[in-house]
Amino acid sequence: LALGVSSASGFKFMADWKAPTAGDGQKLKDTKERFGDKQLVVVTGASSGLGRKTALALLRTKQYHVVGAVRDLDKMEAVAEIDGFDMENFTPMECELQSFDSVHKFCDNLEEFRLAKPIDRLICNAGIYQPSLDYAKWSMDGHEQTMQANYLSHFLMINRLMEAVSAAPDPRIILVGSVTGNDNTVGGGGVYPIADLHELDGFKAGFE
């Protein structure tokens, strides 16, 4: 019986297997031509702040092809020119996090662009921070803007891209949160106890 179950499981696995085709070979060739040996990284919010600096730092290593997910392509173009982005290894793509439809479209475009290349790093950096507003602002989908941009849309993006990320040999998904330890923004550095990222004492004390 055990042998029968094992064999059945094996046949079930084989049922999902597809023989490589000539099209697959061409796709792999095209992938190699587009990316070479570079890893593929996606950075949301690459036109300003930490995302801008992160994209530039990654490009300077010559080890990555960076996709910048941004809501304003004209702004991204200007920033890339000012900072001297290596445009052979940087691809800007439109992604408005205030719209789930835009996130879906971005993921579709990225899937087409990456060919057979897995996503080695997904850096969810973009966010909205509006602490001085005394009223709520709403997204295109009817959610409070901070909640949608910082959380819901990134959650959707991660779910859409998880398979491509999982295919990488050493994948990473990074969620950026910078305000707590940033003392030059409203509220930044004023959330006590301040997080200590060395021993995490601040986080521990905060939970207590």
Side-chain angles (χ1 to χ4, degrees):
L1 178 60
L3 179 60
V5 171
S6 177
S7 298
S9 299
F11 281 118
K12 184 177 180 181
F13 169 78
M14 290 298 293
D16 297 327
W17 181 81
K18 296 180 180 179
T21 65
D24 293 332
Q26 184 61 48
K27 191 173 185 179
L28 290 173
K29 180 181 178 181
D30 292 343
T31 301
K32 183 68 173 179
E33 289 179 357
R34 176 169 293 176
F35 300 107
D37 295 325
K38 290 180 171 58
Q39 294 187 345
L40 180 59
V41 183
V42 177
V43 181
T44 66
S47 62
S48 63
L50 291 176
R52 175 179 178 174
K53 296 297 184 183
T54 299
L56 182 58
L58 290 170
L59 289 170
R60 284 176 173 171
T61 68
K62 307 293 185 182
Q63 297 177 20
Y64 303 95
H65 187 105
V66 179
V67 172
V70 297
R71 61 182 176 181
D72 188 337
L73 289 174
D74 291 335
K75 178 183 177 181
M76 184 71 257
E77 182 180 359
V79 166
E81 183 176 352
I82 292 170
D83 288 356
F85 277 30
D86 174 8
M87 295 308 295
E88 289 188 4
N89 293 299
F90 180 75
T91 303
M93 291 188 182
E94 184 176 4
C95 183
E96 171 55 79
L97 294 173
Q98 296 299 332
S99 165
F100 292 143
D101 285 342
S102 180
V103 175
H104 278 297
K105 185 177 180 181
F106 165 76
C107 291
D108 290 340
N109 290 337
L110 180 61
E111 284 295 292
E112 182 177 351
F113 171 75
R114 72 179 184 85
L115 299 172
K117 185 74 173 178
I119 300 172
D120 296 278
R121 304 287 186 267
L122 173 55
I123 304 176
C124 300
N125 160 78
I128 291 178
Y129 183 56
Q130 304 172 135
S132 61
L133 288 183
D134 57 2
Y135 60 92
K137 295 180 71 174
W138 306 98
S139 73
M140 300 174 191
D141 299 299
H143 301 285
E144 191 276 320
Q145 286 188 353
T146 304
M147 180 60 70
Q148 175 146 352
N150 298 16
Y151 301 101
L152 300 179
S153 285
H154 276 126
F155 181 79
L156 172 61
M157 183 181 295
I158 290 170
N159 273 269
R160 282 291 311 272
L161 301 179
M162 181 64 76
E163 184 175 349
V165 173
S166 299
D170 184 31
R172 293 288 186 276
I173 297 176
I174 299 104
L175 303 174
V176 178
S178 61
V179 172
T180 302
N182 190 350
D183 59 8
N184 66 356
T185 57
V186 178
V191 180
Y192 292 95
I194 296 176
D196 179 347
L197 296 182
H198 297 285
E199 300 297 333
L200 301 183
D201 291 341
F203 284 128
K204 180 180 179 181
F207 282 114
E208 293 175 352

